[in-house]
Amino acid sequence: MPVLSLLLIVVVVVALIDIITRGDWQVKHLPKFAWILLVVLLPLIGSILWFTIGRDWEGGGVRLPRPQRRPATDAPAPAAHVRTYPVDTRSTEEQLADLDREIEEWERRRELESRRSGDDADAPPAPPVPPAA
């Protein structure tokens, strides 16, 4: 039992020294002060947590095996049902000018249709169209 107590004290002291000497950028998940409190209040659990998740290991930590990638084949991947829309590269002013021209064109078409059908008397007068800028 005294050996386990001595081992626990050594682990706690090493963890506290490690926490204090680390830079803030090397401490993960909690501030340094919170890690110190955790190790002091819960010595065994706090030390284990510090060395497993709280410390930034220079060597990149524990290396986990990565899943193997599928070999590339010549067959294309199945197309996903994702709609792609064309990107409009015109400026806002160009878009507004195009919309103004389109509105004028629709108004002219409406006016021509009303003249062809001979319903000028029944049709309400078209609002005046401001000149395009």
Side-chain angles (χ1 to χ4, degrees):
M1 194 60 102
V3 174
L4 290 176
S5 299
L6 185 63
L7 183 63
L8 179 63
I9 292 172
V10 169
V11 169
V12 169
V13 168
V14 169
L16 287 173
I17 290 172
D18 193 34
I19 294 169
I20 292 169
T21 58
R22 291 244 163 229
D24 287 337
W25 57 274
Q26 293 175 314
V27 178
K28 298 190 306 186
H29 304 294
L30 293 173
K32 285 171 72 170
F33 184 72
W35 280 112
I36 291 171
L37 282 177
L38 188 66
V39 170
V40 169
L41 296 176
L42 301 169
L44 182 62
I45 296 172
S47 299
I48 291 172
L49 286 175
W50 166 250
F51 285 116
T52 55
I53 65 170
R55 183 178 195 266
D56 186 26
W57 297 87
E58 283 87 18
V62 177
R63 300 282 181 198
L64 297 175
R66 292 185 178 206
Q68 294 180 355
R69 294 185 182 193
R70 286 186 246 152
T73 61
D74 293 335
H81 296 286
V82 177
R83 287 187 175 180
T84 57
Y85 298 99
V87 177
D88 195 357
T89 58
R90 298 174 296 166
S91 71
T92 305
E93 290 81 14
E94 291 171 333
Q95 291 176 2
L96 288 174
D98 289 344
L99 287 174
D100 286 340
R101 282 191 291 273
E102 191 174 330
I103 290 170
E104 287 176 9
E105 180 181 342
W106 279 101
E107 288 177 351
R108 286 185 193 134
R109 285 184 185 180
R110 186 177 64 190
E111 185 179 328
L112 282 174
E113 288 295 322
S114 67
R115 285 184 185 175
R116 285 184 187 156
S117 65
D119 295 335
D120 285 335
D122 296 335
V129 178

